[in-house]
Amino acid sequence: MDFIEINVSVHNMSVVDLDRYTGKLSDETAMLLLPAIIIFGVILIVGAVGNSLVLFVYYFKFKTSYIRTAILALALFDLVTCALCIPGEILDMRYSYNYKSQFLCKGQRLVTTAVQMASGFALVCVANDRYRRICHPLRQQATVKDAIKRILLSCLLATVLAIPAALVYGIARVPTPIEGLEGQECSTSETFKRHPLRMAYNAVLCLVFVAAFASMIIYYVLIGRKVLHQKQFRDLVQNRQRRDSCKGYRPQRPTESSGDSDGQHSVCTTNGSIIDPSDHELGANGNKGFTKSNPTSPSKPGKTSTGKFEFTNRIRRLSINKKGLDNVSETSRHNSICDNSSLNSSRLRKTSVMLFLISLIFVLSFLPHLALKLTQAVRSSFLENLTPAASITYNIMVRSHFFNAAVNWIVYGLCSPKFRRECQIICGGVTLWTNNKTLPRFSEEGI
């Protein structure tokens, strides 16, 4: 029987034997948490590939704009998460009892906190920009320089708020099955486990999260209300235009002609011209010459009242046709302007929906993490005697805030035909120079 499997006294165990024992416990825990490790390995790969595509496509294929800058920043934050933060969490699960590097532990916690908070601040800035563009379109809008300043300010503020994480977190002792024998893990430092600074820091982080969450909710609720009002107004205007159009071009009821001695009636056609039923030489399009004189009113050509009426009627038809053409031309110009405005509004709404989904995923991914941390703070014995399935679930859900790093680029693909098409071309092996020559650049909202 192996020496490390024997129930021995702590005082009789050498350092080498202790390392072997904690290493064995880490190996067993890693095998237990293998499903969680695989899941986060998949998230790492998918997120790294997807966010690299986002950075490449949006940087080279989209024109400079506020939204492009914000999306590039979010993709960069997600890429850092996949490159640095998730590997640190995998190491944490792999070495549950013999985590040795204090520097690596503190650095990983610092970077994770800073990146997550910077992403949250950037999403608040994006929500504010969407609110101003939709609810106050006539006000001065933020520029690309404003976007860069806000992103840098978000990074600076996130870094400042994340600095205490390097103090609070570090190598901590973890109990082992052997009573009195402890391993090492990357968690809350022993110095700050019951320190007021740790409790105050966690309270500040929760407060910042709630404030950012509430801000995004308020902005998008106001945006949704404005979009609903705009849709109702647009439907009202379109219905009124359709009614006016029907009134202007609907065939009119026959009206009695004052110049017709036989009691016949003239008819207004759909193109606005007036046709006399006695006009037997008039073609189907109403463009031919004079009508024949009424046989019941014989008189000399050019001298009769019927001839005068026919001449007056011809002038009236020409005048009405000219007015009709002018109205059609004006209507076409108006419809063209309305169509362009409607297209821009539609693109703006689609962009806002995409960014709303990104914000929603960000918030939802944090809820399991916060719920477990709150439960753990209220019940200190929460993690004791967990079943293998519960242990796997806990280690996945407590790191749920990493999920959005692998999902955001999928949302871009679902909501942006331009991004989706560019990704298909890249996967098809078309060169960058060919893409630049064949694909037009879109405007800010043309995503």
Side-chain angles (χ1 to χ4, degrees):
M1 181 178 293
D2 199 312
F3 176 75
I4 63 174
E5 297 178 356
I6 303 176
N7 187 10
V8 295
S9 172
V10 177
H11 300 286
N12 295 331
M13 183 174 287
S14 65
V15 175
V16 176
D17 295 332
L18 179 61
D19 288 341
R20 292 177 60 192
Y21 179 66
T22 54
K24 180 177 182 295
L25 290 177
S26 294
D27 294 341
E28 292 175 352
T29 305
M31 290 302 298
L32 174 65
L33 300 179
L34 184 60
I37 294 175
I38 292 175
I39 288 175
F40 283 100
V42 172
I43 292 175
L44 188 156
I45 296 173
V46 172
V49 174
N51 288 291
S52 297
L53 282 173
V54 173
L55 288 173
F56 178 82
V57 171
Y58 272 88
Y59 185 80
F60 288 104
K61 301 300 179 180
F62 285 79
K63 294 185 68 175
T64 303
S65 66
Y66 188 102
I67 294 304
R68 171 182 175 269
T69 304
I71 290 177
L72 287 174
L74 292 173
L76 183 60
F77 294 152
D78 290 340
L79 189 60
V80 172
T81 298
C82 295
L84 299 178
C85 303
I86 294 180
E89 295 295 331
I90 292 177
L91 287 176
D92 189 17
M93 289 185 285
R94 172 61 184 87
Y95 299 103
S96 302
Y97 289 91
N98 61 342
Y99 202 104
K100 301 295 185 182
S101 177
Q102 183 85 257
F103 174 79
L104 188 60
C105 177
K106 289 181 175 293
Q108 186 258 335
R109 300 291 181 173
L110 173 65
V111 173
T112 299
T113 305
V115 169
Q116 297 293 338
M117 296 186 71
S119 297
F121 293 147
L123 288 174
V124 173
C125 294
V126 167
N128 175 265
D129 176 73
R130 295 294 92 190
Y131 167 76
R132 292 179 61 87
R133 291 181 185 275
I134 293 179
C135 298
H136 302 286
L138 300 182
R139 294 183 182 178
Q140 184 177 1
Q141 303 299 327
T143 63
V144 177
K145 291 184 178 180
D146 295 329
I148 296 174
K149 291 179 181 178
R150 293 177 183 180
I151 295 299
L152 294 178
L153 182 61
S154 298
C155 294
L156 178 62
L157 183 59
T159 303
V160 171
L161 291 175
I163 287 177
L167 302 175
V168 172
Y169 296 101
I171 300 299
R173 294 193 297 267
V174 57
T176 65
I178 300 179
E179 185 177 357
L181 183 62
E182 296 175 331
Q184 293 178 328
E185 66 173 354
C186 181
S187 182
T188 303
S189 178
E190 290 294 329
T191 308
F192 292 95
K193 274 195 173 179
R194 294 175 179 84
H195 199 282
L197 178 61
R198 171 179 173 267
M199 302 172 65
Y201 181 61
N202 290 335
V204 169
L205 293 182
C206 290
L207 182 63
V208 170
F209 175 82
V210 171
F213 180 39
S215 300
M216 286 186 282
I217 288 179
I218 293 173
Y219 279 132
Y220 283 112
V221 166
L222 294 175
I223 290 172
R225 188 177 66 175
K226 184 67 173 181
V227 169
L228 181 60
H229 289 172
Q230 289 176 347
K231 183 179 183 301
Q232 292 174 348
F233 177 77
R234 187 167 54 253
D235 292 341
L236 179 63
V237 172
Q238 290 177 351
N239 291 335
R240 185 174 298 173
Q241 288 178 346
R242 282 195 292 266
R243 288 197 302 267
D244 294 342
S245 177
C246 291
K247 288 180 181 179
Y249 297 105
R250 185 177 57 192
Q252 303 294 324
R253 296 177 60 88
T255 58
E256 184 172 352
S257 174
S258 58
D260 192 352
S261 61
D262 196 18
Q264 293 181 343
H265 300 83
S266 59
V267 180
C268 180
T269 63
T270 57
N271 63 1
S273 59
I274 300 176
I275 302 176
D276 191 354
S278 62
D279 190 357
H280 300 294
E281 291 183 354
L282 189 64
N285 56 4
N287 293 327
K288 288 189 178 182
F290 295 96
T291 60
K292 290 183 179 181
S293 59
N294 194 334
T296 61
S297 302
S299 60
K300 294 181 181 181
K303 300 289 185 180
T304 63
S305 61
T306 302
K308 293 180 180 180
F309 168 75
E310 291 170 355
F311 179 78
T312 303
N313 196 26
R314 176 68 178 270
I315 297 299
R316 186 187 305 170
R317 286 199 301 270
L318 293 176
S319 177
I320 292 177
N321 284 335
K322 183 178 183 303
K323 291 181 179 179
L325 292 175
D326 292 341
N327 291 336
V328 169
S329 178
E330 182 66 26
T331 302
S332 299
R333 289 194 297 269
H334 180 267
N335 290 340
S336 177
I337 295 174
C338 292
D339 290 342
N340 292 334
S341 177
S342 177
L343 181 60
N344 292 333
S345 299
S346 176
R347 288 175 175 174
L348 187 63
R349 289 194 300 271
K350 288 181 179 179
T351 305
S352 300
V353 169
M354 181 183 74
L355 296 172
F356 167 74
L357 291 176
I358 295 296
S359 302
L360 182 63
I361 291 172
F362 178 82
V363 172
L364 293 179
S365 67
F366 263 91
L367 293 182
H369 169 79
L370 293 177
L372 289 174
K373 287 297 184 181
L374 181 61
T375 304
Q376 189 176 352
V378 174
R379 294 177 54 190
S380 57
S381 61
F382 173 68
L383 298 179
E384 295 179 1
N385 301 322
L386 289 178
T387 63
S391 181
I392 294 172
T393 304
Y394 171 80
N395 279 274
I396 293 174
M397 292 294 101
V398 80
R399 299 173 174 88
S400 61
H401 52 281
F402 293 116
F403 292 165
N404 65 84
V407 176
N408 288 344
W409 73 278
I410 299 177
V411 176
Y412 299 143
L414 293 176
C415 298
S416 173
K418 169 69 174 177
F419 175 74
R420 190 164 58 245
R421 184 168 61 251
E422 292 286 356
C423 290
Q424 292 173 351
I425 291 176
I426 292 174
C427 294
V430 180
T431 62
L432 177 62
W433 290 107
T434 303
N435 293 341
N436 288 333
K437 293 179 181 179
T438 58
L439 291 177
R441 290 180 175 270
F442 277 28
S443 62
E444 173 187 350
E445 305 299 340
I447 65 171

